[in-house]
Structure formats: structure tokens, C-alpha cells
Amino acid sequence: MIRTRLRYHRPRSLTETSEILLAHHGNVAVLGGGTQLLPRMGRHVTEVENVVDLKDLGLAGIGTVGGAIEIGARVTYADVLDSALLRAQLPLLPRMAQGVTGGRQLTQQATLVGAACFAFPSADARGALAALGAVVEIHGPDGLRSVPLTAFLVDAFAVDLRAGEFVRAMRMTPQRTGGYCKVKHSTGSWPIVTASAVRDDARGVRVTLGAVQAVPVIVQLDDPHDPAELKMRVDAAITAPWSDVLAPGEYRAAIAAAVARRAVNELLGV
Ligand SMILES: Cc1cc2nc3c(=O)[nH]c(=O)nc-3n(C[C@H](O)[C@H](O)[C@H](O)COP(=O)(O)OP(=O)(O)OC[C@H]3O[C@@H](n4cnc5c(N)ncnc54)[C@H](O)[C@@H]3O)c2cc1C
């Protein structure tokens, strides 16, 4: 139960949202789907007296902007699964969303942007979004700024958001193929390692590993068919493995190459 006296804000414009966030800086949280925020408020892990709901800002859409795919801050996993545009242009996202647990209640509520902002290392979405080169569109008191997701994710549970700022949307260029694989303890548990593979026009294949470090780890493969190159590059890239109650870092590091191999095989269709 949330016992704190709460003020619920429902701004009607981006500017008003940033004004509220700035006015209550340090004592305010943006409400996405609330699937992490509200339980944490109930457990007093997050203690704020102001919650800002983005519902009236028109950020629930998936569309194209200047050749890029834009996913609004209120787009849920269910929206991703239902989107014909994403199935055609960014199939890695629905592929990833298929494996998110929690049932319809969770997938209809939780947002991709919320997953990025929560910045839990083990989340599915962060690695897949990083693999797709997602750019985070941030609105703040000075207007809009864009940051690559890989820079936005500063550390475990830490993102590059300043006073008065919130994420309006994320943008990605179309990637019509992709491979995804994850290892987890059971159907309902968080991933221990995720791997997202996409083609990289310049250099072959790019694999992004999630849940192995505090932030996603990106590995370039010149020859994606070469298992020795994949293992060597994955092992070299993991320098500070992430440990928590689910698995020690050494275990995550030890299985990362095998998970990456499966994602690459899915991408290559072998
Ligand atoms: C039962 C259950 C099963 C789950 N299974 C999985 C799973 O299999 N894989 C997986 O990866 N995850 C899983 N999750 C986690 C889920 O993906 C995240 O809870 C969700 O993506 C977070 O999104 P949200 O919209 O609910 O965020 P919220 O809880 O609303 O917000 C999370 C954090 O991000 C901030 N925030 C949200 N939106 C913005 C914004 N636009 N701008 C700035 N800050 C913002 C909030 O202030 C808060 O700090 C599960 C969760 C539950 C409860």
C-alpha cells in the first residue's frame, strides 16, 4: 500500500509536464505503466509525493517520422505485439516482447520507455533497443534533445535525465531482420542473459548482450558464421559482469557466447 500523501498530475502539454517535473524535482516521478514504480512506492523504495501521468500527451503511438520508426513513451508491450508496422520494419521488437512474462495484465500496462528508464540490467527491452540503435527523445525545460540509448543508460538503475526532463519517445531506423535469444530460470523469471543480433551493413553482424553487465554490451562480428570469432569477441567484451540474486556474474559471462550464438543463428536462419 502507498501511504505517502500523493499529488497526481495529468499535464496536457510537453511544456507543462517539464514545468511540473522541474517544480517538484527530487520529489516527483513520471508514471509510465506503473508496473515498477507503484510497487516500489508501496515498498518505500521510491518515495515521492508527486506523480506525473503522461496519458494526455498523445504519446501512445507507433509511427514513422522522416524514415525512422518512433515509439511513444506510452507504448506498451501489447502495442508492440499488435503492430503490423513493427512486425514489418523492426521484427526484433515483437520477437523480444513475445518473451516478456507477466501475462496480459503486464504486457498491456508496461511500456518500453518505462523499461528503458527503469534501467534494470536484466530487462529484455534494453538490450533489444540498444541493438536497434535506439535514440531517446527527451523533453525538458529547454525543449527537446536526442541521446543514443547506449549513452542514456549510464549505469544500473541510472539514466541521463536532468531536472524537468522526461522521455517523450524513442526512434529507430528500420531493421527488417533480427535474432533474439535469452536464458532465464523459469517462465516467470527475469532474464539472466539476453542476446539481440542484427545486420550491420558496414561490418557484418552486431550482437547486443543484455543482463551480463550494468549496461548492454555491443559486439561486432566480421564473420558471423565463425564460432571462434564470436566467442573471442564476447569474452573480451564482458569486463564487469553483473551479479544479483538470479545469477552470479561469472555464470552470466560463461554462457553469454552460447546465447549470442543462438541469436546470431536465428538472424542468419541457420
Ligand atoms: C509480473 C511482471 C513480469 C515482468 N516480466 C518481465 C520480463 O519478462 N522481461 C522484462 O524485461 N521485464 C519484465 N517486467 C518488468 C517490466 O518490463 C517493467 O516493469 C516495465 O517495462 C516498466 O515499464 P512501466 O511503463 O510499467 O514503467 P513504470 O513502472 O511506470 O516506470 C519505471 C521507471 O521509469 C520511469 N519512467 C517511466 N516512463 C518514463 C518517461 N517517459 N520518462 C521518464 N521516466 C519514466 C518511472 O518514473 C520509474 O522510475 C515484469 C514486471 C512484472 C511486474
Side-chain angles (χ1 to χ4, degrees):
M1 186 196 295
I2 299 172
R3 293 194 178 83
T4 321
R5 277 174 67 87
L6 265 187
R7 184 147 171 228
Y8 173 78
H9 302 263
R10 200 155 154 176
R12 302 192 69 92
S13 72
L14 301 177
T15 302
E16 186 190 353
T17 307
S18 286
E19 284 169 359
I20 295 168
L21 290 172
L22 190 60
H24 298 285
H25 181 57
N27 190 20
V28 63
V30 173
L31 178 67
T35 63
Q36 291 299 332
L37 178 65
L38 298 181
R40 289 169 77 83
M41 289 175 73
R43 295 196 306 272
H44 299 280
V45 180
T46 301
E47 300 209 63
V48 290
E49 292 173 319
N50 295 274
V51 166
V52 180
D53 194 337
L54 307 182
K55 221 172 244 168
D56 289 340
L57 301 183
L59 302 179
I62 301 171
T64 48
V65 180
I69 311 289
E70 183 171 285
I71 293 182
R74 295 219 18 105
V75 168
T76 64
Y77 290 109
D79 296 329
V80 170
L81 289 167
D82 289 346
S83 168
L85 179 65
L86 292 185
R87 278 197 299 278
Q89 304 286 343
L90 287 171
L92 182 62
L93 285 186
R95 170 78 178 88
M96 174 277 296
Q98 272 168 11
V100 169
T101 62
R104 290 297 279 176
Q105 193 180 3
L106 187 278
T107 54
Q108 291 193 330
Q109 195 72 21
T111 65
L112 261 73
V113 166
C117 293
F118 182 48
F120 179 41
S122 291
D124 280 274
R126 295 179 350 140
L129 290 164
L132 293 168
V135 172
V136 185
E137 302 280 313
I138 298 168
H139 189 275
D142 299 326
L144 280 168
R145 68 182 175 104
S146 304
V147 180
L149 179 71
T150 46
F152 179 74
L153 299 172
V154 176
D155 204 345
F157 304 106
V159 293
D160 174 18
L161 278 180
R162 303 166 194 162
E165 289 189 335
F166 66 100
V167 176
R168 188 191 71 79
M170 283 186 290
R171 286 188 186 175
M172 284 146 271
T173 48
Q175 274 273 359
R176 294 186 183 85
T177 54
Y180 190 71
C181 181
K182 67 174 167 180
V183 166
K184 53 184 181 173
H185 280 306
S186 63
T187 313
S189 75
W190 289 92
I192 291 170
V193 174
T194 72
S196 306
V198 296
R199 290 190 189 280
D200 183 326
D201 288 344
R203 289 199 53 192
V205 161
R206 189 170 68 241
V207 185
T208 303
L209 296 160
V212 292
Q213 292 202 156
V215 295
V217 174
I218 297 175
V219 178
Q220 294 284 160
L221 301 175
D222 295 326
D223 180 0
H225 295 278
D226 179 1
E229 185 202 348
L230 182 144
K231 173 131 180 57
M232 184 266 292
R233 291 199 190 279
V234 167
D235 289 351
I238 301 172
T239 51
W242 171 255
S243 291
D244 63 16
V245 289
L246 289 173
E250 305 83 67
Y251 179 72
R252 293 170 196 260
I255 65 169
V259 182
R261 178 78 263 157
R262 290 182 189 188
V264 171
N265 285 351
E266 184 174 292
L267 172 75
L268 300 175
V270 296

